[in-house]
C-alpha cells in the first residue's frame, strides 16, 4: 500500500510504502476511493493537538470499497462502498458510552490520529464504526460528508430546533454543507468569512446565504444562534455580541486559539456558549439519511494522494472553496 505518513508534527507528510494491512477481528479493509482533507488533519500535522500515534497516516473522511473482511463482520460485505469517520472506536464500558455519549468516551480511538487513516491506498477500520454508503454514487463528493457534514450536523443540532437565523463563522467545508441543509429546512444563514474574502462571500450567497460579510462586521439583525468553525478564539465574543437574548454560540472545532476575556454583559440575558466534541454513530446514521433527502451537493477540489501537502497548504491559507479531496 501507498500512504502519506506524518512522521513528526510540524513536518511535511512523506510518501511511503507499507505492507498491505490485514484486518483483525471485527475489522474491515478498504481500498480507498477518496479521502477529504479536514481542518483537524491540519491540527494533527501542525501539532496543535496532544500527541497521538506517531508515525501516523492522517485522514478521517474516508470513502472506500471493502476488499477484505476480518472475522466476525457480518453487516458489511465485500465490494460494498463504506464511509469511515473521525470516531474510530470506543470502549463501550465507561460511563459516557453507557449513557449514550460515546463521543465523550474515556478510551476512544480516532481515525487518522490515534489509528491510521485514509491518506492512503488502503486502510483498516473497525467495522462497527463504519457506515454503508448505498445511494452515494460519487466517492469524491461523498467524502466531505464524513466529517465536515457530521460535525456540522451535530453543531447545528446544538443550536436547537427553534433557531431559524443561523450565523456561521468560518465558511469552509462544514459551512458549505450546512448552508444547503439550512436552506432546505427553511432556516436563514448569515455567513461570516475572513475579512476581505470576497470569493468566499460570493460562494456563500450562491449556496443560499441571505447575507455574507467579514467576521469583523455585525449582521443586519440579531441571530438565534452562531456556529463557529474557524479555529479563532477571538470570534467567540463577536458571536456572543451578534446573538439575541437567549441565543446560543456553538464552537464546532476540535481546536481553537485562546478565547480572550470579554465583558459579562455579552453572556448575560441567558445566552449560552457550548462546544461540540467528536460525534456518535447515531449522528452518522441520522445525518447520512438527511444528506440523501436534502440532496446535499459538495464542492470539491481533487488532489492526487501524493499532493497531500499541497492540499493541506491550500486549506491552511484559505485557497479552497468547499473541500479538498485526495484520490489515490
Amino acid at each position: 500500500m501507498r500512504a502519506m505518513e506524518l512522521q513528526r508534527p510540524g513536518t511535511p507528510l512523506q510518501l511511503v510504502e507499507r505492507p498491505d494491512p490485514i484486518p483483525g477481528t471485527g475489522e474491515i479493509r478498504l481500498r480507498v476511493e477518496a479521502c477529504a482533507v479536514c481542518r483537524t488533519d491540519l491540527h494533527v500535522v501542525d501539532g496543535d493537538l496532544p500527541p497521538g500515534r506517531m508515525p501516523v497516516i492522517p485522514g478521517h473522511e474516508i470513502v472506500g470499497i471493502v476488499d477484505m473482511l476480518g472475522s466476525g463482520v457480518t453487516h458489511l460485505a465485500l465490494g460494498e462502498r463504506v464511509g469511515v469517520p473521525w470516531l474510530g472506536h470506543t470502549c463501550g464500558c465507561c460511563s459516557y458510552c453507557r449513557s449514550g455519549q460515546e463521543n465523550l468516551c474515556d478510551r476512544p480511538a480516532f481515525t487518522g490520529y490515534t489509528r491510521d487513516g485514509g491518506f492512503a491506498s488502503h486502510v483498516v477500520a473497525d467495522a462497527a464504526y463504519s457506515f454503508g454508503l448505498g445511494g452515494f454514487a460519487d466517492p469524491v463528493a461523498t467524502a466531505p460528508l464524513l466529517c465536515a457534514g457530521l460535525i456540522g450536523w451535530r453543531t447545528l443540532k446544538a443550536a436547537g430546533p427553534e433557531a431559524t437565523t443561523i450565523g456561521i463563522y468560518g465558511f469552509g467545508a462544514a459551512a458549505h454543507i450546512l448552508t444547503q441543509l439550512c436552506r432546505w429546512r427553511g432556516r436563514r444563514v448569515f455567513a461570516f468569512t475572513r475579512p476581505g474574502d470576497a470569493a468566499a462571500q460570493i460562494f456563500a450567497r450562491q449556496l443560499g446565504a441571505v447575507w455574507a460579510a467579514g467576521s469583523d462586521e455585525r449582521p443586519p439583525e440579531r441571530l438565534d444562534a452562531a456556529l463557529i468553525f474557524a479555529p479563532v478564539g477571538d470570534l467567540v465574543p463577536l458571536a456572543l455580541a451578534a446573538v439575541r437574548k437567549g441565543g446560543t454560540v456553538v464552537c464546532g472545532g476540535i481546536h481553537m486559539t485562546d478565547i480572550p476575556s470579554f465583558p459579562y454583559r455579552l453572556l448575560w440575558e441567558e445566552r449560552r456558549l457550548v462546544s461540540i466534541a467528536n460525534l456518535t454513530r447515531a449522528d452518522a446514521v441520522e445525518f447520512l439519511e438527511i444528506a440523501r433527502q436534502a440532496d446535499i451537493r459538495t464542492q470539491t477540489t481533487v488532489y492526487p494522494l501524493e499532493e497531500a501537502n499541497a492540499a493541506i497548504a491550500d486549506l491552511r491559507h484559505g485557497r479552497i472553496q468547499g473541500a479538498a479531496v485526495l484520490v489515490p
Side-chain angles (χ1 to χ4, degrees):
M1 61 172 281
R2 295 177 300 117
M4 294 298 290
E5 182 182 81
L6 177 64
Q7 298 175 348
R8 190 173 69 255
T11 64
L13 304 182
Q14 301 295 318
L15 179 63
V16 299
E17 290 189 356
R18 294 185 180 182
D20 290 339
I22 304 299
T25 300
E27 294 182 328
I28 56 173
R29 188 178 73 188
L30 299 183
R31 173 177 56 80
V32 177
E33 296 181 288
C35 185
V37 183
C38 178
R39 184 162 290 276
T40 300
D41 297 316
L42 181 58
H43 295 317
V44 171
V45 169
D46 289 348
D48 294 327
L49 303 180
R53 174 179 178 173
M54 286 293 156
V56 70
I57 301 169
H60 58 272
E61 297 178 280
I62 308 167
V63 176
I65 300 296
V66 178
D67 73 353
M68 186 174 288
L69 297 172
S71 62
V73 177
T74 59
H75 71 289
L76 298 173
L78 289 173
E80 184 174 358
R81 176 168 288 134
V82 167
V84 178
W86 169 250
L87 186 67
H89 181 78
T90 59
C91 72
C93 57
C94 70
S95 61
Y96 297 107
C97 286
R98 294 197 309 270
S99 64
Q101 296 175 289
E102 64 181 10
N103 60 306
L104 301 178
C105 174
D106 285 333
R107 292 176 293 279
F110 298 114
T111 309
Y113 179 40
T114 63
R115 64 183 294 159
D116 284 330
F119 288 8
S121 60
H122 294 78
V123 65
V124 165
D126 188 326
Y129 295 79
S130 305
F131 302 91
L133 294 175
F136 290 95
D138 184 344
V140 169
T142 303
L145 301 179
L146 271 298
C147 185
L150 293 180
I151 292 298
W153 171 241
R154 189 173 178 88
T155 302
L156 180 63
K157 287 200 297 182
E162 71 285 350
T164 58
T165 57
I166 308 290
I168 301 181
Y169 287 78
F171 207 85
H176 99 287
I177 292 170
L178 281 189
T179 298
Q180 297 175 66
L181 182 55
C182 285
R183 183 179 180 182
W184 180 67
R185 290 198 155 190
R187 299 181 177 188
R188 295 185 302 143
V189 169
F190 295 74
F192 297 83
T193 72
R194 297 184 187 191
D197 192 344
Q201 292 162 22
I202 292 171
F203 182 46
R205 294 189 192 98
Q206 289 173 340
L207 290 172
V210 299
W211 178 89
S215 58
D216 55 345
E217 298 187 41
R218 294 287 293 270
E221 61 185 90
R222 290 282 186 175
L223 307 172
D224 295 328
L227 316 180
I228 303 178
F229 295 107
V232 181
D234 288 343
L235 293 175
V236 171
L238 295 177
L240 283 169
V243 299
R244 61 168 174 78
K245 292 182 284 188
T248 302
V249 173
V250 188
C251 299
I254 194 172
H255 169 78
M256 180 178 279
T257 58
D258 288 349
I259 300 172
S261 62
F262 55 85
Y264 174 65
R265 61 178 171 78
L266 293 181
L267 188 61
W268 187 58
E269 295 175 316
E270 300 194 355
R271 294 176 178 86
R272 297 189 307 140
L273 175 62
V274 300
S275 71
I276 292 302
N278 312 313
L279 61 123
T280 68
R281 285 172 285 179
D283 291 327
V285 172
E286 184 178 43
F287 172 73
L288 289 172
E289 179 56 32
I290 290 171
R292 288 188 189 96
Q293 295 175 16
D295 194 24
I296 298 297
R297 304 293 179 93
T298 59
Q299 176 161 317
T300 58
T301 302
V302 176
Y303 298 77
L305 175 64
E306 293 80 2
E307 294 183 15
N309 288 311
I312 289 171
D314 287 346
L315 176 61
R316 179 182 288 113
H317 296 293
R319 294 192 287 256
I320 297 171
Q321 301 296 344
V325 179
L326 300 182
V327 175

